[in-house]
Amino acid sequence: MADLESKSVGNPAYYTHFTLSKIDNEGQLQLLNYDEGNGETEGTTYNSLLQKGAPVDAGNYLMVSGTRLANGGVLARLQFFKVTPGDTTQTHLVMRQSVNDVQVMGSFNSESLYTDAESGKQKSVLATTGRGYFIVGVLGVGQEPTNHALRDISALKQQFEKWGRKLLLLFPDKDQYDKYKQLDEFRSLPSTVSYGIDDKGAILSQIRQQMHLSTSTLPVFIIADTFNRVVFVSQGYTIGLGEQMMNVINKL
């Protein structure tokens, strides 16, 4: 069993965030292999493997955890522990945090497809944003948290325009987009915003799975890049969403 110490990764994934290796009698490491998932299934995570514990052979083990940074570095931690026959060993899975550097929190496929709200044609996120960082927001139509989030972004319109990267806002269907674009919240958004339809909720589903979001609360915003790295995620409404995103952007 292991306690999780993390402020940014809710359910760390095996291989991506941590691994376990048994140390043999010669001091060599033998990696324990678990299900990686296949894009449709989640694969092995902290919740499925360590939260309530899993049986392993008695012996000495090494747990390696790592937090990727947006600059390519990794904050790693190595922890040795021993499992004795018939006993439960309690340890800690620690995901190191950086005060100053932006951390990679998950992945997002920048070639994901959506329907352009105006042309009705399918496009990839990459084709819209170009190479580099971008923001994707999946909106909750008719929900006050979405309205608040858009007001926060509008309040920092000049800063987002100075950044110059795309903000892609996605709706569940064209009718909802047509309704929402008449609202004041949309008239004052940055000129770098593009609008689209999240066909069958595919992009939202991907973000929820990859970022291990436990609820369907909207809106959801991510900051990611075309190397498929997510460096910021927000679900629901949090005070000062625009400022939170600009704080991350200014560190990129």
Side-chain angles (χ1 to χ4, degrees):
M1 297 179 63
D3 295 325
L4 174 62
E5 297 180 19
S6 171
K7 295 181 180 179
S8 61
V9 183
N11 184 23
Y14 197 76
Y15 297 114
T16 301
H17 299 110
F18 72 98
T19 58
L20 295 170
S21 297
K22 186 178 181 182
I23 306 172
D24 65 20
N25 293 332
E26 297 180 353
Q28 301 296 314
L29 297 177
Q30 299 176 342
L31 179 67
L32 303 189
N33 295 310
Y34 293 100
D35 179 23
E36 297 183 62
N38 58 12
E40 296 181 0
T41 59
E42 184 175 53
T44 304
T45 66
Y46 164 80
N47 287 351
S48 63
L49 181 66
L50 297 181
Q51 187 176 42
K52 295 183 179 179
V56 295
D57 295 334
N60 294 306
Y61 288 84
L62 169 65
M63 178 187 294
V64 179
S65 61
T67 301
R68 289 186 296 153
L69 302 177
N71 64 11
V74 177
L75 296 177
R77 185 176 189 271
L78 283 69
Q79 181 173 347
F80 296 90
F81 61 94
K82 184 175 183 179
V83 176
T84 56
D87 288 339
T88 298
T89 299
Q90 183 77 40
T91 186
H92 300 278
L93 172 58
V94 178
M95 303 300 300
R96 291 178 57 193
Q97 309 295 308
S98 173
V99 176
N100 298 316
D101 294 314
V102 177
Q103 299 169 182
V104 178
M105 306 174 67
S107 64
F108 173 77
N109 182 7
S110 61
E111 296 187 359
S112 297
L113 298 177
Y114 73 97
T115 297
D116 181 88
E118 291 299 326
S119 70
K121 297 180 179 179
Q122 275 205 329
K123 298 178 64 176
S124 70
V125 174
L126 174 60
T128 300
T129 64
R131 294 290 178 182
Y133 283 97
F134 57 86
I135 295 173
V136 171
V138 184
L139 307 183
V141 176
Q143 299 176 12
E144 192 60 25
T146 287
N147 297 340
H148 279 298
L150 296 179
R151 293 184 196 116
D152 277 356
I153 294 173
S154 296
L156 298 178
K157 176 180 179 178
Q158 292 184 345
Q159 294 184 47
F160 281 106
E161 291 179 341
K162 182 178 179 180
W163 181 44
R165 303 300 305 162
K166 281 289 187 180
L167 291 79
L168 176 58
L169 300 181
L170 298 175
F171 297 81
D173 56 55
K174 183 65 161 57
D175 289 341
Q176 299 293 352
Y177 164 70
D178 289 338
K179 173 184 176 182
Y180 253 50
K181 71 179 181 180
Q182 306 300 324
L183 301 181
D184 291 338
E185 286 82 358
F186 279 78
R187 298 191 182 107
S188 56
L189 284 169
S191 60
T192 49
V193 169
S194 294
Y195 303 100
I197 310 303
D198 183 17
D199 301 304
K200 299 181 180 179
I203 287 181
L204 175 60
S205 178
Q206 178 192 166
I207 294 173
R208 288 186 61 196
Q209 180 178 346
Q210 293 295 326
M211 301 308 301
H212 306 291
L213 303 180
S214 59
T215 70
S216 58
T217 303
L218 294 174
V220 171
F221 285 87
I222 62 169
I223 300 176
D225 67 8
T226 45
F227 291 104
N228 297 338
R229 303 176 299 182
V230 177
V231 297
F232 173 87
V233 62
S234 173
Q235 183 176 30
Y237 175 69
T238 56
I239 295 175
L241 174 65
E243 291 184 356
Q244 290 180 39
M245 291 195 288
M246 285 308 309
N247 286 339
V248 172
I249 288 167
N250 289 333
K251 294 178 182 179
L252 296 175

